[in-house]
Amino acid sequence: MRIPAHSVCTAIRDDIVAGVYERGGRLTEEVLARRYGVSRVPVREALRTLEAEGFVVTRRHAGACVAEPTEQEAVDLLEMRTLLEPLGASRAAQRRTEAHLKVLRGLVRLGQERARRGNSEDLRSLGAWFHETLAQASASPSLTSMLTQLRHKIAWMYTVPAPPSPVDCWAEHGAIVDAVARGDSERARAITAMHTERATAAHRLRFASGGDRPERVRNSQHAVNMPSLRH
């Protein structure tokens, strides 16, 4: 059975974000195909997609390599997110469905409950799920795709500590959902802008301006045909 290229793409992207492949490192089709248990065809397609997304560059005499974004490029990503996240929330207030609201409210209840109990293990993934659902509620595939790519690239370039007050963080999530539910696009935009700017302030670059490479993570070995792979 042929493994879809998007599954291979997800696996390679996840490993780039995790630091399995260091910045500037070569990505050879043969090695990648063997690592993920696929043929070279889906690997080749995945590398093309990742190059379009900015994770991979093709260099003369070297082939595909992990990109080496500059500090300014990393800063630009945060600025783009501070503009696009509020736009997505504003659109969601105008276009959300009851299904979106049900998921968002459920995530807020779960996040607030775990934040109050001090159980922070799942809060990061719950937060990512919340913002992904909020973007989908905008009913704009292009905006949703851009926000998804931004989240992947920011996770690759930055370390983000847990918020100092998870309870306050999830209270803001709840306020966003309330505004979206009421169809109040301006309030949804304003609260999301405040929330995004506050979260952005805690981000720290993984690499120094002098071009130092991040510590390499060596323990990721997932295969693309495992059911746990999803995005």
Side-chain angles (χ1 to χ4, degrees), residues 28 47 60 71 75 112 137 152 157 170 181 198:
T28 61
L47 290 176
R60 189 177 181 182
E71 185 172 339
V75 171
Q112 290 178 338
H152 286 315
M157 298 182 197
W170 280 93
R198 184 174 298 168

Side-chain angles (χ1 to χ4, degrees), residues 121-139:
E121 292 183 6
D122 297 331
L123 288 181
R124 190 180 299 272
S125 59
L126 286 173
W129 190 0
F130 174 88
H131 285 287
E132 182 179 342
T133 305
L134 186 64
Q136 291 171 352
S138 72

Side-chain angles (χ1 to χ4, degrees), residues 3 7 11 15 35-38 220-229:
I3 304 300
S7 295
D15 279 346
R35 176 184 178 85
Y36 301 111
V38 298
S220 175
Q221 293 290 336
H222 58 249
V224 300
N225 54 354
M226 292 176 64
S228 60
L229 267 180

Side-chain angles (χ1 to χ4, degrees), residues 97-212:
T97 66
E98 288 302 316
H100 289 132
L101 285 178
K102 183 177 180 179
V103 174
L104 288 169
R105 284 169 172 155
L107 289 169
V108 167
R109 283 195 299 270
L110 188 57
Q112 290 178 338
E113 176 186 335
R114 296 192 178 182
R116 285 193 298 268
R117 293 182 178 180
N119 184 356
S120 61
E121 292 183 6
D122 297 331
L123 288 181
R124 190 180 299 272
S125 59
L126 286 173
W129 190 0
F130 174 88
H131 285 287
E132 182 179 342
T133 305
L134 186 64
Q136 291 171 352
S138 72
S140 174
S142 57
L143 179 58
T144 301
S145 177
M146 290 177 68
L147 285 169
T148 298
Q149 288 189 35
L150 280 173
R151 280 191 290 273
H152 286 315
K153 295 180 82 171
I154 289 170
W156 174 37
M157 298 182 197
Y158 290 90
T159 57
V160 186
S165 176
V167 172
D168 290 343
C169 178
W170 280 93
E172 290 174 0
H173 285 162
I176 293 170
V177 174
D178 288 343
V180 168
R182 292 196 305 269
D184 190 339
S185 59
E186 288 307 313
R187 181 162 176 76
R189 182 194 294 268
I191 298 173
T192 303
M194 177 189 66
H195 177 75
T196 304
E197 289 173 7
R198 184 174 298 168
T200 295
H203 287 56
R204 296 292 180 268
L205 275 173
R206 293 183 185 273
F207 55 91
S209 58
D212 294 342

